[in-house]
Amino acid sequence: MDYIRLADILFPDVTASPEDMEQKFPPRSLPEGACVTRIGPSPTGFVHLGNLYNALIGERIAHQSGGVFYLRIEDTDNKREVEGAVETVINAMNYFGVHFDEGAVSDGDNGSYGPYRQRQRKDIYHVFAKHLVQRGLAYPCFLTAEEIDTLREQQTAAKENPGIYGKYAKYRDTSIEEVQQLIASGKEWVLRYRGTETDEYISVNDAIRGKVEMPRNNMDFVLLKSDGIPTYHFAHVVDDHLMRSTHVIRGEEWLSSLPMHVELFNALGWQQPVYCHTATLMKLEGTGKRKLSKRKDPELALSYYQQEGISPDAIWEFLLTVLNSNFEEWRLADPDADYKDFPYSLSKMSISGALVDLDKLRNISKDVIGRMPAEKIRESWLEWCDEYNKDFAELIRKYPERTLAALNVGRNAAKPRKDLETWKQACDFMSFYYDETFKVTDEMPAECDEATRKQFFAEYLASYDHSDDSAAWFDKVKALTDKLGFAVKPKDYKKNPDQFKGSIVHITNMLRIALTGHANAPDIHEVSHVLGEDIVRARLAKWC
């Protein structure tokens, strides 16, 4: 077979050589040990937690080593592409604080190793496709979809592995003349890699899983589809070589494809990158775990976290606890450190399912917001409200100082309160600080009947002095509690309930509900001074 002639028939317009591509995309000039990583999402319009999960890994190992982290759009499947999807990916990553050094941008490319959209790299792939044909390692296959389905049925019946290989590779040794006739007749073809029937095994050192051994590829897998666009398998190998990726971070679902990729790296004489196959994202269900589902689980979509108003900082901290087993220990030892100072390590990653526990995420979020200065909370909360709750954004802008004071309530105590867990929840919890959104949602304690309520609020307002410090204010509350027949010490009421109407807990809860609408609310004295005397008197007067 004259493979050179066959290559010229299949790729008559390709004049560049692999050497030309090597010169166009030379090795990067980076410090020794610097890592080059990427994420390669498909532009389907759905950006999921797995994209962010893998992006954090790539970003950390690249930037901690002084390397490069880039965005490549893997758009080889034109049928699944959604208009505006690239912008959706970029905006989502920006929202969560994942920044690329180079790669695809909204209106083109940023960097010297582009194009960063695979459909725009068609000519590059064809250079290497022609090279493989010239070496007898690839051939045109004219099998139709119907013929392939028939072969699969035969293979299934014979209990053989499905696929195109060996005796099932009908067009592997087709003559040049017949190839020309088939092409001239308009017959569509794909380019297949010529596999080798062998019992050999390959061995790959996965940075997360350690040594992985698998049967060597023996399939005649597709390199180029009938439209000339490559499959993921071919595009990934060419791109990661020419873009000089040192590490390929992807989900464990790609492990089964590893033999094909190793085969191509070897065939092209290239050093393969370090593979890092991450664990599948899981969730608890009943007594077991299952894979997160796009159909069943809204938390798989990154838009869920944006709409809920979960701080990007909290997402980072949560994912770092999932990614590295020693992050929580590090955080306890360094409570005020920036999470990006954490020495992330691939070796600390689990190979079992990564559990996405939303309750844990919300607890982490409380801690993260609890560590933020009030000014940053206001700024981040307002930014979220501008997008998702414009009415509340107006309130924050209308009352900036009151909002700031409200956010500082309970933060200087020995055990600071952690009331806020998301920006969405903050709109509900903080609503009592503004008359425009204030409403009473909890019922008054049953121990405080209407007569007691009226007498308490009337006498409370009569003695109320807004300038009282916390101690003086509480002395007045205790005196009034005793006067109304309630136990000043809760333990006295608990010990002798028949001697009292209730305890000071019921009195303060009654006051808290009148001021905030909730029995569970911050310190009454602090809240009163945030609201101001006029609002305090107006709210309490309604209960007299």
Side-chain angles (χ1 to χ4, degrees):
M1 172 74 77
D2 186 346
Y3 294 121
I4 301 296
R5 185 181 165 205
L6 177 60
D8 288 336
I9 292 170
L10 297 178
F11 302 99
D13 299 326
V14 175
T15 58
S17 68
E19 290 72 27
D20 294 330
M21 294 298 103
E22 295 290 343
Q23 289 179 13
K24 187 175 180 180
F25 304 106
R28 295 174 182 269
S29 179
L30 292 171
E32 186 177 350
C35 300
V36 179
T37 65
R38 48 71 173 174
I39 59 167
S42 299
T44 61
F46 181 72
V47 189
H48 55 81
L49 190 62
N51 295 134
L52 183 61
Y53 177 73
N54 286 334
L56 259 62
I57 302 170
E59 191 277 344
R60 286 292 77 207
I61 66 173
H63 290 160
Q64 284 183 172
S65 64
V68 174
F69 178 55
Y70 68 92
L71 172 63
R72 184 171 74 221
I73 301 300
E74 298 187 344
D75 55 356
T76 57
D77 188 350
N78 200 32
K79 295 177 183 176
R80 299 177 63 213
E81 185 166 350
V82 173
E83 187 176 351
V86 175
E87 290 76 12
T88 299
V89 170
I90 292 170
N91 291 339
M93 291 297 156
N94 281 338
Y95 177 85
F96 288 102
V98 176
H99 303 298
F100 302 99
D101 301 301
E102 64 182 50
V105 293
S106 297
D107 55 355
D109 291 320
N110 170 40
S112 304
Y113 289 79
Y116 295 92
R117 290 167 172 80
Q118 289 184 329
R119 292 189 74 85
Q120 296 176 11
R121 297 172 63 82
K122 182 176 178 180
D123 291 346
I124 297 174
Y125 305 127
H126 284 199
V127 170
F128 294 99
K130 184 173 184 177
H131 176 64
L132 290 172
V133 174
Q134 288 171 335
R135 294 171 55 202
L137 296 176
Y139 66 93
C141 174
F142 299 89
L143 285 170
T144 64
E146 292 76 14
E147 288 176 308
I148 291 174
D149 287 342
T150 300
L151 284 178
R152 283 185 181 141
E153 289 174 6
Q154 294 173 4
Q155 290 165 336
T156 301
K159 297 184 178 179
E160 295 179 311
N161 290 331
I164 306 303
Y165 59 92
K167 64 183 180 181
Y168 298 110
K170 178 180 177 181
Y171 291 95
R172 181 187 274 191
D173 298 312
T174 304
S175 69
I176 289 179
E177 291 71 26
E178 189 177 351
V179 167
Q180 287 179 303
Q181 289 173 7
L182 288 166
I183 292 176
S185 69
K187 188 90 168 174
E188 286 192 342
W189 57 276
V190 300
L191 189 71
R192 287 187 182 273
Y193 181 81
R194 190 185 296 269
T196 303
E197 291 191 64
T198 176
D199 293 328
E200 294 178 11
Y201 270 65
I202 62 166
S203 178
V204 176
N205 287 316
D206 187 289
I208 297 172
R209 297 168 184 274
K211 187 176 181 180
V212 176
E213 291 187 316
M214 305 176 74
R216 181 183 165 185
N217 169 74
N218 66 352
M219 292 287 172
D220 289 11
F221 57 88
V222 176
L223 299 173
L224 297 179
K225 294 176 281 189
S226 59
D227 60 358
I229 296 298
T231 58
Y232 166 80
H233 311 298
F234 189 40
H236 135 64
V237 169
V238 173
D239 290 345
D240 280 320
H241 172 70
L242 293 182
M243 294 179 180
R244 309 298 171 174
S245 301
T246 62
H247 293 68
V248 170
I249 297 137
R250 60 189 186 183
E252 64 182 337
E253 66 271 17
W254 290 106
L255 269 171
S256 61
S257 304
L258 192 55
M260 288 185 279
H261 305 154
V262 171
E263 186 82 14
L264 282 174
F265 274 108
N266 290 338
L268 291 163
W270 296 336
Q271 180 180 347
Q272 70 185 42
V274 177
Y275 281 100
C276 315
H277 289 93
T278 58
T280 300
L281 295 177
M282 311 286 283
K283 74 174 294 181
L284 290 173
E285 187 169 81
T287 57
K289 294 190 291 186
R290 65 165 173 80
K291 182 179 177 181
L292 275 178
S293 161
K294 178 179 177 180
R295 184 171 57 85
K296 293 182 180 179
D297 306 310
E299 66 267 32
L300 183 59
L302 281 189
S303 57
Y304 168 84
Y305 303 93
Q306 292 172 270
Q307 291 161 8
E308 286 295 304
I310 298 175
S311 165
D313 293 330
I315 294 287
W316 267 81
E317 296 244 349
F318 171 68
L319 288 179
L320 285 171
T321 66
V322 174
L323 288 166
N324 263 196
S325 57
N326 59 328
F327 178 79
E328 290 178 271
E329 182 181 341
W330 175 86
R331 173 52 77 202
L332 286 172
D334 300 277
D336 300 317
D338 188 320
Y339 52 77
K340 289 191 176 180
D341 292 337
F342 170 67
Y344 175 79
S345 171
L346 289 169
S347 65
K348 294 290 185 180
M349 289 189 65
S350 170
I351 61 173
S352 59
L355 184 62
V356 178
D357 183 342
L358 290 182
D359 289 336
K360 183 173 184 176
L361 168 58
R362 289 177 181 271
N363 284 331
I364 288 173
S365 186
K366 286 182 181 180
D367 290 336
V368 167
I369 295 176
R371 289 195 298 269
M372 288 182 185
E375 292 83 355
K376 183 178 179 182
I377 296 176
R378 182 177 63 182
E379 177 185 330
S380 300
W381 182 25
L382 177 58
E383 186 178 345
W384 182 85
C385 287
D386 278 335
E387 179 71 22
Y388 297 101
N389 192 335
K390 295 187 186 303
D391 290 341
F392 218 100
E394 287 184 19
L395 290 177
I396 296 173
R397 285 196 170 88
K398 185 177 180 180
Y399 306 107
E401 296 308 315
R402 187 194 304 176
T403 299
L404 194 62
L407 291 170
N408 271 313
V409 168
R411 292 173 66 84
N412 298 317
K415 191 175 181 181
R417 289 181 64 96
K418 296 177 181 177
D419 295 308
L420 306 183
E421 61 180 40
T422 72
W423 305 135
K424 183 177 181 179
Q425 175 261 350
C427 294
D428 179 55
F429 183 82
M430 301 287 286
S431 63
F432 67 83
Y433 285 107
Y434 314 96
D435 279 344
E436 292 88 338
T437 51
F438 170 70
K439 59 184 177 181
V440 176
T441 58
D442 288 352
E443 293 185 3
M444 286 290 184
E447 291 79 2
C448 303
D449 57 22
E450 185 177 358
T452 298
R453 291 198 298 270
K454 286 188 174 184
Q455 182 180 354
F456 170 79
F457 286 114
E459 295 196 28
Y460 180 89
L461 286 172
S463 66
Y464 183 72
D465 185 341
H466 199 66
S467 64
D468 282 344
D469 62 17
S470 180
W473 166 81
F474 195 46
D475 283 342
K476 289 180 179 179
V477 172
K478 287 191 288 187
L480 193 48
T481 297
D482 184 56
K483 181 178 180 179
L484 291 171
F486 286 71
V488 173
K489 295 180 179 180
K491 65 180 182 180
D492 291 342
Y493 174 65
K494 189 175 182 179
K495 189 181 293 184
N496 300 295
D498 295 337
Q499 295 181 15
F500 304 96
K501 293 181 180 178
S503 79
I504 195 169
V505 172
H506 302 116
I507 293 294
T508 54
N509 277 350
M510 178 174 59
L511 182 55
R512 192 174 281 111
I513 290 167
L515 276 177
T516 71
H518 307 285
N520 180 21
D523 180 82
I524 302 170
H525 185 263
E526 280 195 78
V527 168
S528 298
H529 281 76
V530 171
L531 293 173
E533 184 171 2
D534 290 345
I535 293 177
V536 169
R537 288 188 176 278
R539 288 187 184 179
L540 300 188
K542 295 177 181 178
W543 296 90
C544 294

